[in-house]
Amino acid sequence: MRRPIIAGNWKMYKTLSESLELVENLKLSCSSVSDRDIVVCPPFMALAVVAQAIKKSVLKLGAQNLHWEKEGAFTGEVSAKMLADVGCAFVIIGHSERRQYFGETDDTVNKRTKAALAAGLTPIVCVGETLSEREANRAFEVIERQMKNGLANLSVEESQKIVIAYEPVWAIGTGKTASPEQAEEVHRFIREKFSALYGASAAAGLRILYGGSVKPDNVKSLMAQGDIDGALVGGASLKADDFAKIVKY
Ligand code: PEP
């Protein structure tokens, strides 16, 4: 039985006081939830205060990115060790916004994934096709490439520690959600490919999240699919009420 994960990607939203207000509300509304991982991913600036605020709560902390080098002259970057030190357990890697606007490639996804694992963080590795790739019937080919290259050369042990998020780019922040059947088809494909890469046992335990306009009113039907093990939530994670409803799908 795979433990579900509901993760909120706050992107570049929330000041410190707004971050604290959101997690204080989530702590109250989610305190009785114990059968799933609830992860909040604030901007780097808010990680330390949120880490303090969620100590002894059911909430876990994630970051939105990291650099693969341990330390060095890399102005503006943050290392895996720093994230672990501040209290992160998870880190999002290869989000489509980073691929689209900040030059993220499968190769840098691979470097970041290995760095996260080496520091004991759980990487949430994002894959997903654009609208034009879907319309050209290339969705599976794109996702297979992102997995093969982004997850290259992990040990079987490491492969058991990662989480994959399927985020069709056309569904992110657009209000368009993949239908549960569309999402399930891709999730099943991801599990099959993962099995070919890292074996049936790693694939059976792999948690695959769906992301793309997940809301309180569509989460239940998505989570009812056999290969959907959780959600990566953007917009709806910024409101405590909505995120709590998604958590309690
Ligand atoms: C995301 O940022 O990962 C995401 C899925 O955003 P949204 O839920 O707003 O579509």
Side-chain angles (χ1 to χ4, degrees):
M1 186 63 189
R2 296 182 289 268
R3 184 176 164 87
I5 305 179
I6 306 293
N9 172 15
W10 297 4
K11 310 193 185 193
M12 197 172 72
Y13 291 99
K14 304 289 178 191
T15 61
L16 292 186
S17 60
E18 290 164 349
S19 299
L20 286 175
E21 189 188 341
L22 178 51
V23 286
E24 288 306 332
N25 283 326
L26 286 176
K27 271 162 59 179
L28 288 176
S29 48
C30 298
S31 61
S32 60
V33 181
S34 57
D35 60 349
R36 58 204 67 176
D37 290 334
I38 310 169
V39 184
V40 291
C41 304
F44 287 137
M45 289 295 293
L47 287 173
V49 289
V50 170
Q52 285 303 316
I54 66 177
K55 262 188 187 159
K56 297 194 192 127
S57 83
V58 294
L59 305 181
K60 296 183 177 169
L61 191 64
Q64 299 175 19
N65 189 23
L66 80 168
H67 193 268
W68 54 85
E69 292 292 343
K70 287 200 170 88
E71 60 184 7
F74 300 103
T75 303
E77 295 295 331
V78 171
S79 73
K81 186 177 164 190
M82 293 169 186
L83 296 182
D85 184 50
V86 82
C88 287
F90 292 83
V91 58
I92 299 170
I93 294 175
H95 191 280
S96 63
E97 286 152 15
R98 297 224 54 94
R99 293 180 192 256
Q100 195 176 344
Y101 306 128
F102 301 103
E104 184 87 84
T105 63
D106 294 340
D107 180 46
T108 55
V109 166
N110 188 240
K111 289 176 172 162
R112 291 184 217 276
T113 301
K114 286 186 184 154
L117 288 165
L121 300 168
T122 299
I124 301 176
V125 180
C126 301
V127 298
E129 80 285 3
T130 62
L131 184 59
S132 59
E133 288 163 345
R134 175 159 280 262
E135 286 174 347
N137 278 325
R138 293 185 49 230
F140 291 127
E141 170 200 326
V142 168
I143 290 161
E144 185 170 358
R145 188 209 72 220
Q146 289 172 336
M147 287 179 67
K148 245 176 142 172
N149 299 338
L151 304 177
N153 301 319
L154 304 184
S155 67
V156 170
E157 200 193 337
E158 286 175 327
S159 75
Q160 289 166 343
K161 294 182 182 155
I162 73 161
V163 171
I164 293 182
Y166 168 55
E167 298 211 306
V169 180
W170 48 272
I172 296 179
T174 58
K176 286 185 199 157
T177 322
S179 69
E181 295 73 25
Q182 269 177 327
E184 173 64 9
E185 186 187 26
V186 178
H187 281 232
R188 205 178 312 121
F189 173 83
I190 290 172
R191 204 175 298 288
E192 278 167 22
K193 289 296 151 197
F194 201 77
S195 178
L197 286 170
Y198 291 111
S201 155
L206 175 70
R207 294 186 288 177
I208 310 173
L209 316 185
Y210 170 77
S213 298
V214 176
K215 308 281 180 226
D217 61 1
N218 60 22
V219 62
K220 202 177 167 76
S221 55
L222 288 160
M223 290 303 294
Q225 304 297 315
D227 287 291
I228 300 186
D229 307 307
L232 181 53
V233 185
S237 72
L238 299 172
K239 292 190 191 135
D241 282 0
D242 282 353
F243 192 60
K245 281 185 193 146
I246 292 173
V247 165
K248 296 176 187 171
Y249 60 87

PDB file of all heavy atoms in Angstrom, residues 117-150:
ATOM      1  N   LEU A 117      19.155  13.171  -3.194  1.00  0.00           N
ATOM      2  CA  LEU A 117      19.229  11.843  -2.573  1.00  0.00           C
ATOM      3  C   LEU A 117      20.448  11.735  -1.661  1.00  0.00           C
ATOM      4  O   LEU A 117      20.359  11.184  -0.558  1.00  0.00           O
ATOM      5  CB  LEU A 117      19.280  10.763  -3.660  1.00  0.00           C
ATOM      6  CG  LEU A 117      17.964  10.540  -4.417  1.00  0.00           C
ATOM      7  CD1 LEU A 117      18.211   9.740  -5.694  1.00  0.00           C
ATOM      8  CD2 LEU A 117      16.935   9.844  -3.530  1.00  0.00           C
ATOM      9  N   ALA A 118      21.557  12.281  -2.119  1.00  0.00           N
ATOM     10  CA  ALA A 118      22.785  12.197  -1.313  1.00  0.00           C
ATOM     11  C   ALA A 118      22.633  12.931   0.014  1.00  0.00           C
ATOM     12  O   ALA A 118      23.282  12.590   0.998  1.00  0.00           O
ATOM     13  CB  ALA A 118      23.963  12.774  -2.108  1.00  0.00           C
ATOM     14  N   ALA A 119      21.757  13.945   0.050  1.00  0.00           N
ATOM     15  CA  ALA A 119      21.558  14.710   1.288  1.00  0.00           C
ATOM     16  C   ALA A 119      20.380  14.169   2.101  1.00  0.00           C
ATOM     17  O   ALA A 119      20.005  14.760   3.105  1.00  0.00           O
ATOM     18  CB  ALA A 119      21.323  16.180   0.948  1.00  0.00           C
ATOM     19  N   GLY A 120      19.799  13.080   1.651  1.00  0.00           N
ATOM     20  CA  GLY A 120      18.698  12.474   2.407  1.00  0.00           C
ATOM     21  C   GLY A 120      17.345  13.117   2.167  1.00  0.00           C
ATOM     22  O   GLY A 120      16.391  12.889   2.910  1.00  0.00           O
ATOM     23  N   LEU A 121      17.253  13.928   1.103  1.00  0.00           N
ATOM     24  CA  LEU A 121      15.959  14.543   0.763  1.00  0.00           C
ATOM     25  C   LEU A 121      15.195  13.641  -0.198  1.00  0.00           C
ATOM     26  O   LEU A 121      15.805  12.911  -0.982  1.00  0.00           O
ATOM     27  CB  LEU A 121      16.180  15.895   0.071  1.00  0.00           C
ATOM     28  CG  LEU A 121      16.935  16.969   0.854  1.00  0.00           C
ATOM     29  CD1 LEU A 121      17.319  18.121  -0.079  1.00  0.00           C
ATOM     30  CD2 LEU A 121      16.079  17.477   2.004  1.00  0.00           C
ATOM     31  N   THR A 122      13.884  13.711  -0.155  1.00  0.00           N
ATOM     32  CA  THR A 122      13.069  12.975  -1.127  1.00  0.00           C
ATOM     33  C   THR A 122      12.782  13.887  -2.318  1.00  0.00           C
ATOM     34  O   THR A 122      12.073  14.888  -2.176  1.00  0.00           O
ATOM     35  CB  THR A 122      11.726  12.536  -0.504  1.00  0.00           C
ATOM     36  OG1 THR A 122      12.002  11.681   0.599  1.00  0.00           O
ATOM     37  CG2 THR A 122      10.856  11.822  -1.519  1.00  0.00           C
ATOM     38  N   PRO A 123      13.333  13.547  -3.497  1.00  0.00           N
ATOM     39  CA  PRO A 123      13.056  14.383  -4.662  1.00  0.00           C
ATOM     40  C   PRO A 123      11.656  14.097  -5.219  1.00  0.00           C
ATOM     41  O   PRO A 123      11.269  12.937  -5.330  1.00  0.00           O
ATOM     42  CB  PRO A 123      14.115  13.960  -5.681  1.00  0.00           C
ATOM     43  CG  PRO A 123      14.847  12.810  -5.115  1.00  0.00           C
ATOM     44  CD  PRO A 123      14.259  12.438  -3.795  1.00  0.00           C
ATOM     45  N   ILE A 124      10.946  15.148  -5.548  1.00  0.00           N
ATOM     46  CA  ILE A 124       9.676  15.010  -6.291  1.00  0.00           C
ATOM     47  C   ILE A 124       9.999  15.452  -7.711  1.00  0.00           C
ATOM     48  O   ILE A 124      10.083  16.654  -7.997  1.00  0.00           O
ATOM     49  CB  ILE A 124       8.566  15.893  -5.682  1.00  0.00           C
ATOM     50  CG1 ILE A 124       8.317  15.530  -4.209  1.00  0.00           C
ATOM     51  CG2 ILE A 124       7.275  15.774  -6.495  1.00  0.00           C
ATOM     52  CD1 ILE A 124       7.281  16.428  -3.505  1.00  0.00           C
ATOM     53  N   VAL A 125      10.258  14.500  -8.573  1.00  0.00           N
ATOM     54  CA  VAL A 125      10.747  14.810  -9.923  1.00  0.00           C
ATOM     55  C   VAL A 125       9.551  14.976 -10.870  1.00  0.00           C
ATOM     56  O   VAL A 125       8.743  14.064 -11.022  1.00  0.00           O
ATOM     57  CB  VAL A 125      11.676  13.690 -10.435  1.00  0.00           C
ATOM     58  CG1 VAL A 125      12.183  14.024 -11.841  1.00  0.00           C
ATOM     59  CG2 VAL A 125      12.848  13.486  -9.476  1.00  0.00           C
ATOM     60  N   CYS A 126       9.468  16.165 -11.482  1.00  0.00           N
ATOM     61  CA  CYS A 126       8.314  16.471 -12.335  1.00  0.00           C
ATOM     62  C   CYS A 126       8.585  16.088 -13.791  1.00  0.00           C
ATOM     63  O   CYS A 126       9.662  16.381 -14.325  1.00  0.00           O
ATOM     64  CB  CYS A 126       8.010  17.958 -12.293  1.00  0.00           C
ATOM     65  SG  CYS A 126       7.644  18.567 -10.642  1.00  0.00           S
ATOM     66  N   VAL A 127       7.607  15.461 -14.395  1.00  0.00           N
ATOM     67  CA  VAL A 127       7.650  15.167 -15.829  1.00  0.00           C
ATOM     68  C   VAL A 127       6.306  15.577 -16.419  1.00  0.00           C
ATOM     69  O   VAL A 127       5.323  15.716 -15.690  1.00  0.00           O
ATOM     70  CB  VAL A 127       7.912  13.667 -16.111  1.00  0.00           C
ATOM     71  CG1 VAL A 127       9.261  13.232 -15.577  1.00  0.00           C
ATOM     72  CG2 VAL A 127       6.797  12.779 -15.537  1.00  0.00           C
ATOM     73  N   GLY A 128       6.266  15.754 -17.724  1.00  0.00           N
ATOM     74  CA  GLY A 128       4.983  16.083 -18.338  1.00  0.00           C
ATOM     75  C   GLY A 128       5.173  16.732 -19.690  1.00  0.00           C
ATOM     76  O   GLY A 128       6.182  17.394 -19.943  1.00  0.00           O
ATOM     77  N   GLU A 129       4.181  16.541 -20.538  1.00  0.00           N
ATOM     78  CA  GLU A 129       4.245  17.026 -21.917  1.00  0.00           C
ATOM     79  C   GLU A 129       3.542  18.370 -22.068  1.00  0.00           C
ATOM     80  O   GLU A 129       2.653  18.694 -21.290  1.00  0.00           O
ATOM     81  CB  GLU A 129       3.615  15.997 -22.862  1.00  0.00           C
ATOM     82  CG  GLU A 129       2.091  16.000 -22.942  1.00  0.00           C
ATOM     83  CD  GLU A 129       1.380  15.380 -21.727  1.00  0.00           C
ATOM     84  OE1 GLU A 129       2.054  14.979 -20.768  1.00  0.00           O
ATOM     85  OE2 GLU A 129       0.128  15.339 -21.749  1.00  0.00           O
ATOM     86  N   THR A 130       3.949  19.131 -23.076  1.00  0.00           N
ATOM     87  CA  THR A 130       3.246  20.378 -23.408  1.00  0.00           C
ATOM     88  C   THR A 130       2.010  20.041 -24.253  1.00  0.00           C
ATOM     89  O   THR A 130       1.851  18.897 -24.717  1.00  0.00           O
ATOM     90  CB  THR A 130       4.148  21.315 -24.235  1.00  0.00           C
ATOM     91  OG1 THR A 130       4.471  20.646 -25.464  1.00  0.00           O
ATOM     92  CG2 THR A 130       5.431  21.665 -23.500  1.00  0.00           C
ATOM     93  N   LEU A 131       1.203  21.068 -24.487  1.00  0.00           N
ATOM     94  CA  LEU A 131       0.000  20.837 -25.301  1.00  0.00           C
ATOM     95  C   LEU A 131       0.375  20.404 -26.718  1.00  0.00           C
ATOM     96  O   LEU A 131      -0.196  19.459 -27.261  1.00  0.00           O
ATOM     97  CB  LEU A 131      -0.845  22.126 -25.346  1.00  0.00           C
ATOM     98  CG  LEU A 131      -2.168  21.994 -26.090  1.00  0.00           C
ATOM     99  CD1 LEU A 131      -3.052  20.915 -25.460  1.00  0.00           C
ATOM    100  CD2 LEU A 131      -2.910  23.334 -26.099  1.00  0.00           C
ATOM    101  N   SER A 132       1.374  21.061 -27.296  1.00  0.00           N
ATOM    102  CA  SER A 132       1.711  20.704 -28.683  1.00  0.00           C
ATOM    103  C   SER A 132       2.286  19.290 -28.748  1.00  0.00           C
ATOM    104  O   SER A 132       2.038  18.548 -29.697  1.00  0.00           O
ATOM    105  CB  SER A 132       2.667  21.724 -29.304  1.00  0.00           C
ATOM    106  OG  SER A 132       3.840  21.786 -28.551  1.00  0.00           O
ATOM    107  N   GLU A 133       3.011  18.894 -27.713  1.00  0.00           N
ATOM    108  CA  GLU A 133       3.526  17.507 -27.705  1.00  0.00           C
ATOM    109  C   GLU A 133       2.371  16.512 -27.586  1.00  0.00           C
ATOM    110  O   GLU A 133       2.353  15.480 -28.250  1.00  0.00           O
ATOM    111  CB  GLU A 133       4.517  17.335 -26.558  1.00  0.00           C
ATOM    112  CG  GLU A 133       5.843  18.050 -26.831  1.00  0.00           C
ATOM    113  CD  GLU A 133       6.713  18.272 -25.590  1.00  0.00           C
ATOM    114  OE1 GLU A 133       6.222  18.143 -24.447  1.00  0.00           O
ATOM    115  OE2 GLU A 133       7.894  18.604 -25.773  1.00  0.00           O
ATOM    116  N   ARG A 134       1.387  16.832 -26.752  1.00  0.00           N
ATOM    117  CA  ARG A 134       0.218  15.929 -26.633  1.00  0.00           C
ATOM    118  C   ARG A 134      -0.521  15.858 -27.959  1.00  0.00           C
ATOM    119  O   ARG A 134      -0.881  14.780 -28.441  1.00  0.00           O
ATOM    120  CB  ARG A 134      -0.713  16.385 -25.504  1.00  0.00           C
ATOM    121  CG  ARG A 134      -2.003  15.566 -25.417  1.00  0.00           C
ATOM    122  CD  ARG A 134      -2.674  15.650 -24.086  1.00  0.00           C
ATOM    123  NE  ARG A 134      -2.075  14.785 -23.085  1.00  0.00           N
ATOM    124  CZ  ARG A 134      -2.533  13.572 -22.741  1.00  0.00           C
ATOM    125  NH1 ARG A 134      -3.606  13.074 -23.321  1.00  0.00           N
ATOM    126  NH2 ARG A 134      -1.929  12.848 -21.826  1.00  0.00           N
ATOM    127  N   GLU A 135      -0.726  17.030 -28.572  1.00  0.00           N
ATOM    128  CA  GLU A 135      -1.492  17.045 -29.829  1.00  0.00           C
ATOM    129  C   GLU A 135      -0.751  16.324 -30.956  1.00  0.00           C
ATOM    130  O   GLU A 135      -1.366  15.809 -31.877  1.00  0.00           O
ATOM    131  CB  GLU A 135      -1.815  18.491 -30.225  1.00  0.00           C
ATOM    132  CG  GLU A 135      -2.918  19.036 -29.321  1.00  0.00           C
ATOM    133  CD  GLU A 135      -3.225  20.520 -29.539  1.00  0.00           C
ATOM    134  OE1 GLU A 135      -2.427  21.218 -30.214  1.00  0.00           O
ATOM    135  OE2 GLU A 135      -4.236  20.972 -28.997  1.00  0.00           O
ATOM    136  N   ALA A 136       0.571  16.284 -30.847  1.00  0.00           N
ATOM    137  CA  ALA A 136       1.354  15.563 -31.864  1.00  0.00           C
ATOM    138  C   ALA A 136       1.543  14.088 -31.471  1.00  0.00           C
ATOM    139  O   ALA A 136       2.386  13.387 -32.043  1.00  0.00           O
ATOM    140  CB  ALA A 136       2.708  16.236 -32.042  1.00  0.00           C
ATOM    141  N   ASN A 137       0.770  13.651 -30.477  1.00  0.00           N
ATOM    142  CA  ASN A 137       0.863  12.257 -30.000  1.00  0.00           C
ATOM    143  C   ASN A 137       2.252  11.890 -29.500  1.00  0.00           C
ATOM    144  O   ASN A 137       2.714  10.766 -29.697  1.00  0.00           O
ATOM    145  CB  ASN A 137       0.468  11.273 -31.117  1.00  0.00           C
ATOM    146  CG  ASN A 137      -1.028  11.143 -31.191  1.00  0.00           C
ATOM    147  OD1 ASN A 137      -1.707  11.203 -30.156  1.00  0.00           O
ATOM    148  ND2 ASN A 137      -1.546  11.005 -32.402  1.00  0.00           N
ATOM    149  N   ARG A 138       2.924  12.865 -28.890  1.00  0.00           N
ATOM    150  CA  ARG A 138       4.292  12.597 -28.432  1.00  0.00           C
ATOM    151  C   ARG A 138       4.403  12.552 -26.903  1.00  0.00           C
ATOM    152  O   ARG A 138       5.511  12.526 -26.363  1.00  0.00           O
ATOM    153  CB  ARG A 138       5.242  13.666 -29.000  1.00  0.00           C
ATOM    154  CG  ARG A 138       5.402  13.581 -30.528  1.00  0.00           C
ATOM    155  CD  ARG A 138       6.436  14.567 -31.040  1.00  0.00           C
ATOM    156  NE  ARG A 138       7.659  14.491 -30.263  1.00  0.00           N
ATOM    157  CZ  ARG A 138       8.266  15.559 -29.732  1.00  0.00           C
ATOM    158  NH1 ARG A 138       7.790  16.761 -29.902  1.00  0.00           N
ATOM    159  NH2 ARG A 138       9.380  15.408 -29.038  1.00  0.00           N
ATOM    160  N   ALA A 139       3.269  12.548 -26.211  1.00  0.00           N
ATOM    161  CA  ALA A 139       3.310  12.628 -24.742  1.00  0.00           C
ATOM    162  C   ALA A 139       4.153  11.488 -24.143  1.00  0.00           C
ATOM    163  O   ALA A 139       5.039  11.723 -23.318  1.00  0.00           O
ATOM    164  CB  ALA A 139       1.898  12.604 -24.172  1.00  0.00           C
ATOM    165  N   PHE A 140       3.898  10.274 -24.574  1.00  0.00           N
ATOM    166  CA  PHE A 140       4.605   9.135 -23.969  1.00  0.00           C
ATOM    167  C   PHE A 140       6.104   9.181 -24.278  1.00  0.00           C
ATOM    168  O   PHE A 140       6.934   8.890 -23.426  1.00  0.00           O
ATOM    169  CB  PHE A 140       4.003   7.815 -24.451  1.00  0.00           C
ATOM    170  CG  PHE A 140       2.609   7.583 -23.911  1.00  0.00           C
ATOM    171  CD1 PHE A 140       1.555   7.302 -24.759  1.00  0.00           C
ATOM    172  CD2 PHE A 140       2.363   7.649 -22.549  1.00  0.00           C
ATOM    173  CE1 PHE A 140       0.275   7.106 -24.249  1.00  0.00           C
ATOM    174  CE2 PHE A 140       1.089   7.454 -22.029  1.00  0.00           C
ATOM    175  CZ  PHE A 140       0.041   7.180 -22.890  1.00  0.00           C
ATOM    176  N   GLU A 141       6.403   9.566 -25.522  1.00  0.00           N
ATOM    177  CA  GLU A 141       7.823   9.655 -25.919  1.00  0.00           C
ATOM    178  C   GLU A 141       8.560  10.700 -25.054  1.00  0.00           C
ATOM    179  O   GLU A 141       9.674  10.460 -24.580  1.00  0.00           O
ATOM    180  CB  GLU A 141       7.842  10.056 -27.404  1.00  0.00           C
ATOM    181  CG  GLU A 141       9.159  10.444 -27.977  1.00  0.00           C
ATOM    182  CD  GLU A 141       8.953  11.279 -29.263  1.00  0.00           C
ATOM    183  OE1 GLU A 141       7.989  11.039 -30.026  1.00  0.00           O
ATOM    184  OE2 GLU A 141       9.781  12.196 -29.481  1.00  0.00           O
ATOM    185  N   VAL A 142       7.905  11.848 -24.832  1.00  0.00           N
ATOM    186  CA  VAL A 142       8.527  12.921 -24.043  1.00  0.00           C
ATOM    187  C   VAL A 142       8.743  12.461 -22.597  1.00  0.00           C
ATOM    188  O   VAL A 142       9.816  12.645 -22.013  1.00  0.00           O
ATOM    189  CB  VAL A 142       7.631  14.189 -24.083  1.00  0.00           C
ATOM    190  CG1 VAL A 142       8.084  15.214 -23.043  1.00  0.00           C
ATOM    191  CG2 VAL A 142       7.642  14.798 -25.477  1.00  0.00           C
ATOM    192  N   ILE A 143       7.722  11.834 -22.031  1.00  0.00           N
ATOM    193  CA  ILE A 143       7.820  11.415 -20.628  1.00  0.00           C
ATOM    194  C   ILE A 143       8.866  10.309 -20.468  1.00  0.00           C
ATOM    195  O   ILE A 143       9.652  10.306 -19.513  1.00  0.00           O
ATOM    196  CB  ILE A 143       6.426  10.984 -20.123  1.00  0.00           C
ATOM    197  CG1 ILE A 143       5.543  12.230 -20.013  1.00  0.00           C
ATOM    198  CG2 ILE A 143       6.513  10.259 -18.793  1.00  0.00           C
ATOM    199  CD1 ILE A 143       4.077  11.967 -19.965  1.00  0.00           C
ATOM    200  N   GLU A 144       8.914   9.427 -21.430  1.00  0.00           N
ATOM    201  CA  GLU A 144       9.924   8.359 -21.368  1.00  0.00           C
ATOM    202  C   GLU A 144      11.330   8.962 -21.398  1.00  0.00           C
ATOM    203  O   GLU A 144      12.212   8.571 -20.626  1.00  0.00           O
ATOM    204  CB  GLU A 144       9.720   7.378 -22.534  1.00  0.00           C
ATOM    205  CG  GLU A 144      10.654   6.192 -22.433  1.00  0.00           C
ATOM    206  CD  GLU A 144      10.330   5.086 -23.425  1.00  0.00           C
ATOM    207  OE1 GLU A 144       9.345   5.212 -24.191  1.00  0.00           O
ATOM    208  OE2 GLU A 144      11.071   4.088 -23.422  1.00  0.00           O
ATOM    209  N   ARG A 145      11.523   9.955 -22.262  1.00  0.00           N
ATOM    210  CA  ARG A 145      12.847  10.609 -22.337  1.00  0.00           C
ATOM    211  C   ARG A 145      13.176  11.333 -21.032  1.00  0.00           C
ATOM    212  O   ARG A 145      14.282  11.226 -20.502  1.00  0.00           O
ATOM    213  CB  ARG A 145      12.840  11.623 -23.496  1.00  0.00           C
ATOM    214  CG  ARG A 145      14.193  12.231 -23.808  1.00  0.00           C
ATOM    215  CD  ARG A 145      14.089  13.632 -24.394  1.00  0.00           C
ATOM    216  NE  ARG A 145      13.676  14.588 -23.383  1.00  0.00           N
ATOM    217  CZ  ARG A 145      12.807  15.585 -23.581  1.00  0.00           C
ATOM    218  NH1 ARG A 145      12.238  15.756 -24.754  1.00  0.00           N
ATOM    219  NH2 ARG A 145      12.494  16.406 -22.595  1.00  0.00           N
ATOM    220  N   GLN A 146      12.179  12.044 -20.499  1.00  0.00           N
ATOM    221  CA  GLN A 146      12.421  12.780 -19.242  1.00  0.00           C
ATOM    222  C   GLN A 146      12.787  11.815 -18.116  1.00  0.00           C
ATOM    223  O   GLN A 146      13.634  12.107 -17.275  1.00  0.00           O
ATOM    224  CB  GLN A 146      11.167  13.585 -18.859  1.00  0.00           C
ATOM    225  CG  GLN A 146      10.913  14.773 -19.780  1.00  0.00           C
ATOM    226  CD  GLN A 146       9.574  15.461 -19.515  1.00  0.00           C
ATOM    227  OE1 GLN A 146       8.644  14.847 -18.990  1.00  0.00           O
ATOM    228  NE2 GLN A 146       9.461  16.714 -19.901  1.00  0.00           N
ATOM    229  N   MET A 147      12.149  10.652 -18.103  1.00  0.00           N
ATOM    230  CA  MET A 147      12.439   9.669 -17.041  1.00  0.00           C
ATOM    231  C   MET A 147      13.809   9.034 -17.246  1.00  0.00           C
ATOM    232  O   MET A 147      14.600   8.930 -16.316  1.00  0.00           O
ATOM    233  CB  MET A 147      11.370   8.572 -17.036  1.00  0.00           C
ATOM    234  CG  MET A 147      10.025   9.020 -16.496  1.00  0.00           C
ATOM    235  SD  MET A 147       8.828   7.692 -16.564  1.00  0.00           S
ATOM    236  CE  MET A 147       9.502   6.529 -15.365  1.00  0.00           C
ATOM    237  N   LYS A 148      14.055   8.593 -18.475  1.00  0.00           N
ATOM    238  CA  LYS A 148      15.318   7.885 -18.760  1.00  0.00           C
ATOM    239  C   LYS A 148      16.524   8.767 -18.448  1.00  0.00           C
ATOM    240  O   LYS A 148      17.482   8.343 -17.798  1.00  0.00           O
ATOM    241  CB  LYS A 148      15.365   7.523 -20.252  1.00  0.00           C
ATOM    242  CG  LYS A 148      15.358   6.046 -20.523  1.00  0.00           C
ATOM    243  CD  LYS A 148      15.305   5.846 -21.996  1.00  0.00           C
ATOM    244  CE  LYS A 148      16.142   4.680 -22.401  1.00  0.00           C
ATOM    245  NZ  LYS A 148      15.921   4.377 -23.829  1.00  0.00           N
ATOM    246  N   ASN A 149      16.453  10.023 -18.893  1.00  0.00           N
ATOM    247  CA  ASN A 149      17.598  10.917 -18.710  1.00  0.00           C
ATOM    248  C   ASN A 149      17.600  11.578 -17.330  1.00  0.00           C
ATOM    249  O   ASN A 149      18.638  11.705 -16.691  1.00  0.00           O
ATOM    250  CB  ASN A 149      17.618  11.997 -19.800  1.00  0.00           C
ATOM    251  CG  ASN A 149      17.750  11.381 -21.183  1.00  0.00           C
ATOM    252  OD1 ASN A 149      18.218  10.250 -21.320  1.00  0.00           O
ATOM    253  ND2 ASN A 149      17.313  12.089 -22.198  1.00  0.00           N
ATOM    254  N   GLY A 150      16.434  11.999 -16.885  1.00  0.00           N
ATOM    255  CA  GLY A 150      16.355  12.686 -15.596  1.00  0.00           C
ATOM    256  C   GLY A 150      16.637  11.749 -14.433  1.00  0.00           C
ATOM    257  O   GLY A 150      17.111  12.176 -13.381  1.00  0.00           O
TER     258      GLY A 150
END
